[in-house]
Amino acid sequence: MLRKRLTVALALLALAAVLEGLMALWALNVAAQHLERGRVVGDIQHGFVELSVTKQRLRTWVSQRQLNAGADPAERDRLLQSMRQTLSHLQDLSTRALSLDPAPATRTEHLQRQDALAVLTRSVDALAREIEQVQPLDPGSDSRITWDALNERFDVSDGRDLREMLAQSSAREAAAVQRERSAADRTLAWMRALWMAAATSLALSALLLAAYLTRALRQPLERLSEGALALQQGNLAHRIPDQGKDEFSAVARSVNAMAAELAEHRAAEQQTRTRLEEQVQTRTAELEGALQTLRDLDARRRQLFADISHELRTPTTAIRGEAEITLRGQAKPPAEYQAALSRIVEASSQLGLVIDDLLTMARSDIDALALQRRDIDFAQPLEEAIAQAQALGRERQVSVQASPPPAGALTLLADPQRLRQLLTLLLDNAIRYSEPGGTVNVQVLRTDEPNPRCGFEVHNTGIPIADHELPRVFERSFRGEQARRHRADGSGLGLAIGASLARAHGGEIRLVSHPERGTTATLWLPIITHLETETA
């Protein structure tokens, strides 16, 4: 509504400005016409004056000719040509003046001008014929009579006095010039008054429109400002009155809708913030638990290093003691030296195992070890691991029995050295926790569900693992209660290292223990099929 009224008011102001401009253009055109007519009439007046002056110069030339004072005929011809050109120009200006002012009031003036120009034209033609016959006066002739006759040709034509005609024409044109100038002045004065009146009217209209708009806009703008200030201060419950159908009411409704939407968003944000705070609290509790777990692991790691330090001292002391005892005193039989060397070898083996555990812990994570994997046949590392395990079993009085592998090649993508280490670790772990006279059974399995896999199963009849300890046997430094009673020198790293090596090869280790049937560890590794080899 307000926009419509404002548009109408501005349109009226624009229309008034356009009308003022059109009237100004019309007044300028009228003034220009007066100025143009005045210029043409002025040129006509100047032409009559110039014609009179040229005529006087021609009269002077005639006098010089009669007196034989050296009058040049070329000067005569030039003056006559000048008079003819002046008359021709006056004819053109007269035609131009008639076209610029065809009003009946000035018709008599135009006729008088045309009549004067016609008489002057005939007079110049007759004068030219008379002057061409002028010769120097003979001695003794009466110059007065000749001069009077010639003057009559200069001053009279068709029975009319040319001097009086030129004087009247000049006076008439001067009056016309003054009339046109006065008319132009009146037009400019009228146009100035018109401009002043139009400018005053436009200024008053603009002031009235500004006062109206100020009154119409003040209250809606104040309401909008109050609403914006309330929103800025966070008062989303404030609503701007929106009664009406004008643009400000539409803006107020939009602002109110925005405030309602912001209130909804604030409520949703508050709910989200509450949920986030709850999640942060939960996550903080989890992190605190994880931190406590890390502290426990660090404590166990420290204990592990203390145990390893003790383990390093024990075999080192044993090796040094055996050597010192053997070298002490006189020479001994070879059998004693062999026995001593056997004990030193056993202690060195124990020392090597402890050192391996220490190096593995220093690497922090077996997953970080670089594997050089390639296609290999599972039979080769299997045979080497079983041969080494059988030698170790004979020392521990444990029998290692291997069943024949399934028919066909078992191709794996593995690091041969790490795979042999993994197989040996599982076999060594089974032998360590078997009683003297016990048996460790080794069997190679194959399955195609869900994917082709190779299984390395190790079963011993040694000490069982409690059910509540099974989930933790793959943790570093963890040893079950019966394992500690059976062997107090273990580090608890074997199965943790084995599980990491199995994951590095894309496999897994599964452990099942029964109090009466013993413990079975199964290593599952993916098999490379013929199709995969071709694709690779």
Side-chain angles (χ1 to χ4, degrees):
M1 183 67 69
L2 180 62
R3 179 169 55 187
K4 183 178 180 180
R5 292 197 295 267
L6 181 61
T7 303
V8 172
L10 292 177
L12 292 176
L13 285 177
L15 179 61
V18 170
L19 291 177
E20 178 187 0
L22 293 176
M23 294 179 67
L25 288 176
W26 174 80
L28 286 174
N29 186 42
V30 172
Q33 289 179 358
H34 285 300
L35 291 175
E36 179 66 17
R37 287 198 294 269
R39 184 183 67 81
V40 171
V41 173
D43 291 343
I44 293 174
Q45 180 188 9
H46 178 71
F48 281 117
V49 173
E50 183 179 356
L51 185 63
S52 178
V53 171
T54 306
K55 187 177 180 181
Q56 288 298 116
R57 290 178 180 176
L58 186 61
R59 189 193 299 268
T60 302
W61 183 89
V62 171
S63 299
Q64 292 176 350
R65 178 66 173 169
Q66 289 177 342
L67 297 176
N68 197 15
D72 187 4
E75 178 68 13
R76 177 199 63 196
D77 297 338
R78 186 185 67 78
L79 293 174
L80 289 172
Q81 181 65 25
S82 177
M83 292 179 69
R84 291 190 178 96
Q85 290 179 352
T86 301
L87 287 171
S88 178
H89 183 56
L90 287 173
Q91 289 287 352
D92 295 337
L93 290 175
S94 177
T95 304
R96 176 66 177 163
L98 180 61
S99 64
L100 290 174
D101 188 15
T106 59
R107 184 173 182 80
T108 302
E109 180 180 315
H110 293 311
L111 292 176
Q112 291 175 352
R113 185 184 298 123
Q114 292 292 335
D115 180 62
L117 290 175
V119 172
L120 289 172
T121 301
R122 291 192 297 271
S123 172
V124 170
D125 293 339
L127 186 62
R129 291 191 297 270
E130 293 289 338
I131 291 175
E132 289 178 356
Q133 300 176 4
V134 173
Q135 297 295 329
L137 295 176
D138 296 330
S141 62
D142 190 357
S143 59
R144 179 68 180 175
I145 297 173
T146 304
W147 177 254
D148 291 339
L150 188 61
N151 281 338
E152 186 177 359
R153 287 295 183 187
F154 272 98
D155 297 332
V156 179
S157 179
D158 296 338
R160 300 174 67 178
D161 190 345
L162 296 179
R163 290 177 297 179
E164 183 179 356
M165 181 183 296
L166 287 174
Q168 290 176 354
S169 297
S170 297
R172 183 176 62 252
E173 301 303 333
V177 170
Q178 185 62 36
R179 182 183 70 247
E180 297 298 336
R181 287 180 179 177
S182 300
D185 292 338
R186 288 194 303 273
T187 303
L188 291 175
W190 178 83
M191 184 170 57
R192 188 181 302 109
L194 173 65
W195 285 348
M196 293 295 297
T200 304
S201 301
L202 287 176
L204 291 176
S205 300
L207 289 176
L208 292 176
L209 179 61
Y212 168 75
L213 291 177
T214 301
R215 182 177 179 182
L217 296 177
R218 182 179 59 189
Q219 186 175 0
L221 288 176
E222 289 178 354
R223 291 199 298 264
L224 290 177
S225 299
E226 292 174 358
L229 181 61
L231 291 179
Q232 182 180 0
Q233 294 175 352
N235 184 13
L236 300 181
H238 180 81
R239 294 294 181 268
I240 303 173
D242 57 355
Q243 295 83 5
K245 298 181 180 180
D246 56 5
E247 290 77 5
F248 291 102
S249 299
V251 174
R253 286 190 289 271
S254 299
V255 173
N256 292 338
M258 180 179 65
E261 185 176 355
L262 288 175
E264 294 178 359
H265 283 296
R266 176 179 289 183
E269 181 184 359
Q270 185 63 34
Q271 295 177 0
T272 304
R273 185 182 302 166
T274 302
R275 288 197 301 270
L276 288 176
E277 290 176 354
E278 294 175 354
Q279 293 176 1
V280 168
Q281 293 176 358
T282 303
R283 186 58 179 166
T284 302
E286 293 176 355
L287 291 176
E288 290 177 353
L291 179 61
Q292 185 60 39
T293 302
L294 290 176
R295 290 173 179 170
D296 295 341
L297 290 175
D298 184 66
R300 290 198 297 270
R301 186 182 294 248
R302 292 176 183 273
Q303 182 62 40
L304 173 62
F305 283 131
D307 294 342
I308 290 177
S309 299
H310 177 269
E311 292 297 330
L312 287 176
R313 287 195 298 271
T314 300
T316 304
T317 303
I319 291 172
R320 186 178 61 187
E322 287 290 344
E324 290 177 351
I325 292 172
T326 303
L327 296 175
R328 190 181 303 164
Q330 300 177 352
K332 297 177 178 59
E336 293 186 11
Y337 286 113
Q338 291 179 356
L341 290 174
S342 297
R343 288 190 293 273
I344 289 174
V345 169
E346 183 178 356
S348 298
S349 299
Q350 181 181 356
L351 178 60
L353 293 174
V354 173
I355 290 174
D356 289 340
D357 292 342
L358 180 60
L359 290 175
T360 302
M361 287 300 298
R363 291 187 179 98
S364 177
D365 195 348
I366 195 64
D367 290 335
L369 294 175
L371 298 181
Q372 298 180 358
R373 302 171 66 183
R374 57 186 176 85
D375 295 353
I376 63 172
D377 188 356
F378 184 61
Q380 182 178 357
L382 176 64
E383 292 175 359
E384 295 174 356
I386 291 176
Q388 186 175 353
Q390 287 175 346
L392 181 61
R394 284 193 293 270
E395 294 179 5
R396 301 291 177 87
Q397 299 179 3
V398 175
S399 175
V400 178
Q401 298 179 358
S403 301
L410 299 176
T411 304
L412 307 178
L413 180 62
D415 186 328
Q417 181 180 356
R418 295 298 182 185
L419 181 58
R420 184 170 58 254
Q421 178 185 356
L422 175 56
L423 300 178
T424 302
L425 187 149
L426 293 176
L427 291 169
D428 179 74
N429 196 67
I431 293 172
R432 283 175 178 271
Y433 294 103
S434 295
E435 299 291 344
T439 302
V440 174
N441 295 313
V442 179
Q443 185 179 5
V444 178
L445 309 174
R446 174 170 181 152
T447 181
D448 293 328
E449 297 296 336
N451 297 312
R453 292 187 299 166
C454 169
F456 176 71
E457 185 179 88
V458 180
H459 175 74
N460 71 334
T461 56
I463 62 172
I465 303 174
D467 292 341
H468 67 278
E469 294 177 348
L470 276 175
R472 301 188 59 192
V473 293
F474 294 104
E475 295 180 5
R476 288 183 174 180
S477 306
F478 176 78
R479 300 187 68 206
E481 183 179 353
Q482 294 191 34
R484 291 194 300 271
R485 285 199 301 266
H486 181 75
R487 289 183 62 88
D489 58 349
S491 60
L493 293 175
L495 289 177
I497 295 173
S500 298
L501 285 172
R503 287 194 300 270
H505 284 84
E508 62 175 345
I509 297 176
R510 297 179 182 178
L511 200 63
V512 178
S513 183
H514 193 275
E516 298 177 356
R517 294 192 294 270
T519 302
T520 302
T522 306
L523 168 65
W524 290 100
L525 297 172
I527 299 175
I528 299 179
T529 62
H530 178 68
L531 180 60
E532 292 175 347
T533 304
E534 291 180 351
T535 304

